[in-house]
Amino acid sequence: EKERIQAKKRDTRLRYSAEVPILKGDGSTVMERCDFPPRLPKGKSIIDSFEAPLPLGIILGEHEEISGAVRVDEVVEGGNGELVGIQEGDLLRACTACQMTMETPTWQLIAGGIGQPKTKRFMYSVDGRPFEEVMEAVSSNRMDPEERPVVLVIERTA
């Protein structure tokens, strides 16, 4: 009985979580499993992650029924989103985003320098964020100097 309960918990965790790249304090990135509580009716959805190169070929919009949720309104036929498996109606839960920062070594600060620009790539949680901010996060992936594929975490009806 105890094993059956543990197996059910493990299955539920796998259903509502995804492996995503996490930026650590030292600047390294590691893959970690992150949990995403379901926003669609319980028991009828799954969480999945996809990697797609830009341009994504998807149109995002605000969900009409779930406040603060962003959904895939359209998938361009033959586009990168369709090729990796993104579907119309998917709920966007998280995505990679890039941010430009100035990195200044101590010796440069002492010498009066201003530093060097550096781009940080991190996972951005979409839940409850303003739609315009989500769109900026998705489009910020163009700044990635390594031109890595965009990681999208979606929730869809099972």
Side-chain angles (χ1 to χ4, degrees):
E1 178 65 25
K2 188 176 181 180
E3 290 173 8
R4 188 181 64 77
I5 292 171
Q6 287 177 336
K8 187 173 181 173
K9 283 182 181 180
R10 185 176 51 254
D11 291 346
T12 300
R13 173 142 200 260
L14 290 175
R15 182 180 192 141
Y16 296 115
S17 65
E19 292 249 337
V20 295
I22 301 295
L23 178 66
K24 295 297 186 177
D26 64 1
S28 66
T29 302
V30 296
M31 295 300 286
E32 288 187 7
R33 182 159 291 281
C34 293
D35 297 323
F36 294 88
R39 297 200 69 192
L40 295 172
K42 283 193 180 234
K44 297 183 181 175
S45 67
I46 58 169
I47 298 289
D48 205 350
S49 65
F50 297 91
E51 291 187 32
L54 292 172
L56 294 174
I58 62 174
I59 296 175
L60 300 173
E62 296 179 75
H63 199 287
E64 294 175 6
E65 298 163 10
I66 303 173
S67 177
V70 175
R71 74 184 291 273
V72 176
D73 284 341
E74 190 177 325
V75 179
V76 175
E77 190 174 332
N80 291 328
E82 181 186 55
L83 294 175
V84 299
I86 295 176
Q87 300 172 5
E88 186 176 315
D90 284 348
L91 207 61
L92 182 63
R93 300 298 305 274
C95 68
T96 49
C98 293
Q99 181 178 39
M100 184 77 70
T101 58
M102 291 303 282
E103 196 167 87
T104 310
T106 306
W107 67 268
Q108 266 191 332
L109 280 175
I110 294 169
I114 59 167
Q116 297 290 324
K118 183 173 182 175
T119 303
K120 292 185 180 180
R121 183 174 184 246
F122 57 95
M123 285 305 295
Y124 171 85
S125 176
V126 170
D127 295 346
R129 298 289 223 223
F131 182 71
E132 295 76 20
E133 192 176 295
V134 173
M135 294 303 292
E136 286 177 24
V138 173
S139 66
S140 73
N141 284 279
R142 291 183 307 226
M143 294 190 312
D144 185 4
E146 297 176 43
E147 297 181 358
R148 293 168 285 193
V150 179
V151 177
L152 301 164
V153 177
I154 61 95
E155 181 176 355
R156 74 170 44 134
T157 304

